[in-house]
Amino acid sequence: MRADNHHHMNYGHAIKMARTARGLTQRELADELGIASSYVSLLESGKRTPSLETLQQAALALEIPLHLLILMASSEEELHGLDSAEAATLSKHLLSILLSKDLGQGG
């Protein structure tokens, strides 16, 4: 199953945002996912659309809930009244909360 049924979704941006927040390189994420770093680059640039399985694996590797990754990928049309700037701010805050919670638990 492909995740591209929502062609407005920017999964690559979401993956990149979460990856950089985690302090991972494309190669490190690729190693975690068992894929080529060039494929991570293609995903992040929007030149490829990840499968649902790849999205699930990325969420696990990035230690964030899949639904947060999907929220981060959502376009303004899918956010039903929440503009993209507000969504980006919300996503960053949620990611920050998750990261600080993880750091507070020692890992």
Side-chain angles (χ1 to χ4, degrees):
M1 176 179 199
R2 303 290 304 168
D4 56 4
N5 56 338
H6 296 289
H7 62 281
H8 299 291
M9 304 282 277
N10 190 341
Y11 295 108
H13 173 74
I15 291 169
K16 183 176 183 176
M17 182 189 287
R19 177 184 61 76
T20 56
R22 284 282 179 206
L24 296 174
T25 65
Q26 287 182 342
R27 179 169 298 287
E28 290 168 333
L29 179 58
D31 289 348
E32 286 282 326
L33 298 176
I35 60 176
S37 58
S38 59
Y39 187 65
V40 172
S41 177
L42 290 170
L43 290 173
E44 289 185 357
S45 67
K47 294 179 181 170
R48 294 289 183 277
T49 301
S51 66
L52 181 57
E53 180 182 356
T54 299
L55 281 176
Q56 291 169 329
Q57 291 172 341
L60 284 172
L62 295 165
E63 300 176 18
I64 63 171
L66 178 60
H67 56 274
L68 177 55
L69 195 61
I70 292 170
L71 171 66
M72 292 165 53
S74 298
S75 71
E76 198 166 328
E77 292 123 17
E78 281 127 4
L79 296 173
H80 305 290
L82 186 66
D83 74 37
S84 56
E86 291 171 323
T89 299
L90 178 61
S91 296
K92 287 176 186 175
H93 285 306
L94 290 171
L95 202 51
S96 176
I97 290 167
L98 285 172
L99 288 173
S100 65
K101 179 182 161 214
D102 289 349
L103 294 174
Q105 294 177 351

